[in-house]
Amino acid sequence: MDKPIGVIDSGIGGLTVASEIIRQLPKEEILYIGDTKRCPYGPRDEAEVRTFTWEMIDYLMSFEIKLLVIACNTASAVVLEEAAEQLPIPVLGVIHPGAVAALKATKNKEIGVIGTEGTISSGAYYDELRSINGEVKVVSAACPTLVPLVEAGDYFSSQALKTIESALEPMLMYSIDSLILGCTHYPMIEKQVKDVMGTDVEIICSGDETAREVSSLMYHKNMLYVGDRPPQHIFYTTGGMPKFRDMAENWLGMPDIVVKQTDLGLTAGGQFQPASANRNE
């Protein structure tokens, strides 16, 4: 099926999902939107998150994507269910795959979850984990300082490490043996998180698991592209292009990627409505 996969995120974090999809499915094309202008979504109220997320969905749907990945944990917690009901294509989030991977990894049934304020307050990971295994103990902590750190591209400074250590401090009080990075920005600082948590804690990147689910679903639904055309990935940002391009090329390991700016058409959000747009504009 020669249509692109759509990936949306509040900023650059969803690139961790896009990168893994590209690695697993090298023939597929990606259309990505990072709402960097309004990132982060975590501190925003549910109504704002819903409106912004639907603006991104409406925009990508006008390009006739064949599958949508909501790569933002906060947006997944708020919009995934209604998007799956309303859209005529498969819709995947990042919460269920991450929860399943953590349950497979844990040995003592004590799992930690870190995420944005919105994701943690929604209880989405807690509910998902407990619905699958009612015996598991879930420890959650909001880490509002981490997304701005990642968006700023400041991963390795001594101040960044102090910020990460402070954010993870609540987790060190418990005997968790698995930690879900419940925000797609966090894999960019996975090494630093692992250094703080220690070798006894398995780090679960929900983005990696989501890409595996995308691959499996497309295979079983016969949605894979099997032709010979080279893939053309397009990355949209609502914010500044130079910084987004630098970080995207660095994370994806792909030079000269196609980056475009969009205001998302100022759509109303909240309901998919077909719109006219040219994929190659």
Side-chain angles (χ1 to χ4, degrees):
M1 184 184 294
D2 190 12
K3 294 181 179 180
I5 298 169
V7 180
I8 62 174
D9 186 69
S10 62
I12 63 170
L15 294 171
T16 60
V17 181
S19 175
E20 188 63 18
I21 293 174
I22 291 170
R23 188 188 71 80
Q24 292 188 31
L25 301 171
K27 287 190 172 186
E28 300 295 334
E29 295 187 329
I30 302 293
L31 284 187
Y32 179 96
I33 292 182
D35 192 8
T36 49
K37 186 175 182 179
R38 300 182 293 196
C39 183
Y41 280 12
R44 297 184 181 276
D45 62 40
E46 188 173 300
E48 267 193 322
V49 172
R50 175 174 284 105
T51 297
F52 295 168
T53 303
W54 272 106
E55 286 176 358
M56 290 191 287
I57 292 172
D58 291 345
Y59 190 79
L60 281 192
M61 287 298 292
S62 69
F63 293 97
E64 297 187 4
I65 59 175
K66 62 182 173 183
L67 180 145
L68 174 68
V69 180
I70 303 178
C72 172
N73 283 265
T74 303
S76 287
V78 173
V79 175
L80 177 63
E81 186 174 341
E82 63 193 60
E85 291 174 355
Q86 292 186 31
L87 299 182
I89 59 172
V91 181
L92 298 177
V94 288
I95 292 171
H96 175 75
V100 170
L103 288 168
K104 288 179 180 178
T106 186
K107 295 180 174 59
N108 68 2
K109 296 183 180 179
E110 294 191 26
I111 297 173
V113 182
I114 56 172
T116 66
E117 295 150 294
T119 298
I120 298 304
S121 65
S122 75
Y125 273 103
Y126 177 89
D127 292 343
E128 189 69 29
L129 288 162
R130 297 276 297 176
S131 70
I132 300 171
N133 185 340
E135 297 180 359
V136 72
K137 178 180 178 180
V138 183
V139 180
S140 303
C143 301
T145 58
L146 297 185
V147 169
L149 182 149
V150 172
E151 287 282 330
D154 178 22
Y155 309 160
F156 303 107
S157 69
S158 58
Q159 184 56 49
L161 183 57
K162 288 179 182 178
T163 300
I164 295 167
E165 289 174 340
S166 177
L168 294 174
E169 188 174 356
M171 286 292 153
L172 299 174
M173 300 168 57
Y174 298 93
S175 357
I176 61 168
D177 68 351
S178 303
L179 177 65
I180 298 174
L181 303 186
C183 174
T184 47
H185 285 71
Y186 296 174
M188 295 184 179
I189 53 172
E190 179 183 358
K191 180 184 182 301
Q192 293 90 326
V193 170
K194 196 165 189 64
D195 287 345
V196 174
M197 296 304 301
T199 56
D200 293 335
V201 178
E202 183 80 14
I203 305 299
I204 307 297
C205 297
S206 56
D208 291 354
E209 303 303 325
T210 301
R212 293 186 184 98
E213 189 164 302
V214 168
S215 179
S216 177
L217 183 148
M218 289 178 59
Y219 173 78
H220 289 293
K221 289 187 174 290
N222 198 30
M223 296 172 66
L224 295 170
Y225 174 72
V226 294
D228 296 322
R229 61 103 180 94
Q232 179 189 16
H233 310 301
I234 302 176
F235 300 86
Y236 290 94
T237 175
T238 59
M241 288 177 57
K243 180 179 177 182
F244 181 92
R245 181 190 300 278
D246 288 346
M247 298 189 73
E249 288 182 349
N250 179 63
W251 185 255
L252 296 170
M254 298 167 57
D256 302 320
I257 64 173
V258 179
V259 176
K260 299 184 179 184
Q261 195 167 38
T262 178
D263 61 3
L264 299 176
L266 300 178
T267 54
Q271 175 71 44
F272 165 59
Q273 298 178 355
S276 60
N278 186 334
R279 181 176 163 198
N280 295 313
E281 64 183 358

